Amino acid sequence: MVKEIEKTGIPVVHMCTVVPISLTVGANRIVPTIAIPHPLGNPEMNPEDERKLRRRLVDKALKALTTPVSAQTVFED
């Protein structure tokens, strides 16, 4: 679905826990997340630290969304 949306000219960021799958499906902008049951959080963290973690991931995705890419790119820390 990521590739089809991008064909229309809308950039997409694929936030995922398993980067090789994103690469296989052809996502252009990939942001690795935390874990399969909790991709955008960590319930073992205190609420304030988890909020900061989530904010960092969303900020990274927004940066990826505005970054021009010509090939598949994984946006690591």
Side-chain angles (χ1 to χ4, degrees), residues 25-63:
V25 299
N28 285 327
R29 293 172 183 85
I30 303 166
V31 172
T33 58
I34 306 305
I36 290 173
H38 308 284
L40 293 176
N42 181 346
E44 295 180 11
M45 298 175 91
N46 68 58
E48 180 63 22
D49 288 341
E50 186 178 30
R51 186 191 68 75
K52 290 176 184 175
L53 170 67
R54 289 177 183 211
R55 179 59 189 238
R56 191 172 70 243
L57 288 168
V58 170
D59 286 344
K60 189 186 310 183
L62 290 171
K63 180 182 177 193

Side-chain angles (χ1 to χ4, degrees), residues 8-39:
T8 68
I10 300 170
V12 174
V13 175
H14 197 228
M15 297 178 77
C16 64
T17 56
V18 185
V19 172
I21 292 173
S22 296
L23 293 168
T24 300
V25 299
N28 285 327
R29 293 172 183 85
I30 303 166
V31 172
T33 58
I34 306 305
I36 290 173
H38 308 284

